[in-house]
Amino acid sequence: MAQPLDTAALDQLFRTARTYNGYLDTPVTTEQLDAIWELMKYGPTSANCLPARLVWCVSQEAKGKLAALAMPANAEKILKAPATVIIGMDLEYYEHLPELFPHTDARSWFVGNDALIQTTAFRNSTLQGAYFMLAARALGLDTGPMSGFANDAVDAAFFAGTKVKSNFISTLGYGDPASIFERSPRPDFSRFNTIV
């Protein structure tokens, strides 16, 4: 049976972790990107569908290309971050289900059902984006997830010729404490929870 994580681990993942607007001038390595994937891939998705497709923008060229498609405040963050990941969703994820979920013919659940394909891709790629953030934090990195970019333009620039659509993006690096403001409120259990 799994044991609860210690206080330091819980702080690193949740309580003291923050969304960063800027980063220290410390690079993020390809090995670290791989290590993030090697953790996040274990997070649960519907029928192990794993629809997220990640594009890691680490070169100045790639960051500039992405920044040009974001609102000005986000563009600056993208350009200055060591890396920014585009978390996309593959709308043909079901084609991989015979391999990823071999227990039954899960592919047949989705073929021709565009509404279910879209809902499943969006929900589960969003979950995988959250796993990305937790994996990065677990490995000692910080993130800055954001919307505020032109999805269609990003799709054309980074996913042309595919059935992948962008969901959201996130900067990645070693967070600069000077770039954050006081934590926003987090209400207690009774405010937003109901036990029935």
Side-chain angles (χ1 to χ4, degrees), residues 10-11 18 56 58 66-67 77 95 98 149 152 155-156 159 188:
L10 294 174
D11 285 345
R18 298 294 305 274
W56 304 89
V58 296
L66 180 59
K77 295 174 189 177
E95 295 294 355
F149 63 95
D152 289 344
D155 296 347
F159 299 119
D188 64 18

Side-chain angles (χ1 to χ4, degrees), residues 21-109:
N21 297 306
Y23 297 89
L24 303 175
D25 187 20
T26 305
V28 174
T29 67
T30 301
E31 290 76 18
Q32 287 173 301
L33 304 183
D34 184 81
I36 290 171
W37 173 255
E38 289 301 320
L39 287 176
M40 65 177 280
K41 71 182 183 182
Y42 289 106
T45 55
S46 300
N48 197 37
C49 64
L50 297 168
R53 302 293 180 264
L54 281 60
V55 174
W56 304 89
C57 298
V58 296
S59 69
Q60 284 306 121
E61 178 184 3
K63 289 190 283 186
K65 184 176 171 182
L66 180 59
L69 306 174
M71 59 189 290
N74 287 345
E76 184 178 354
K77 295 174 189 177
I78 292 165
L79 290 170
K80 291 182 177 179
T84 298
V85 62
I86 305 167
I87 297 167
M89 52 183 172
D90 184 359
L91 297 178
E92 289 185 336
Y93 61 86
Y94 53 86
E95 295 294 355
H96 300 279
L97 290 178
E99 172 195 356
L100 298 177
F101 199 72
H103 323 292
T104 189
D105 180 18
R107 180 182 178 275
S108 66
W109 304 343

Side-chain angles (χ1 to χ4, degrees), residues 139-156:
L139 294 170
L141 293 159
D142 298 298
T143 64
M146 63 182 86
S147 305
F149 63 95
N151 286 81
D152 289 344
V154 168
D155 296 347

Side-chain angles (χ1 to χ4, degrees), residues 94-139:
Y94 53 86
E95 295 294 355
H96 300 279
L97 290 178
E99 172 195 356
L100 298 177
F101 199 72
H103 323 292
T104 189
D105 180 18
R107 180 182 178 275
S108 66
W109 304 343
F110 300 97
V111 175
N113 190 338
D114 290 344
L116 182 60
I117 289 168
Q118 176 68 35
T119 299
T120 302
F122 182 71
R123 176 184 301 119
N124 289 280
S125 65
T126 302
L127 281 172
Q128 288 187 272
Y131 303 146
F132 151 78
M133 288 183 273
L134 289 173
R137 289 174 175 180
L139 294 170

Side-chain angles (χ1 to χ4, degrees), residues 16-26 142-143 173-183:
T16 61
R18 298 294 305 274
T19 294
Y20 281 85
N21 297 306
Y23 297 89
L24 303 175
D25 187 20
T26 305
D142 298 298
T143 64
Y174 294 94
D176 180 358
S179 74
I180 56 176
F181 46 84
E182 187 176 345
R183 185 187 287 280

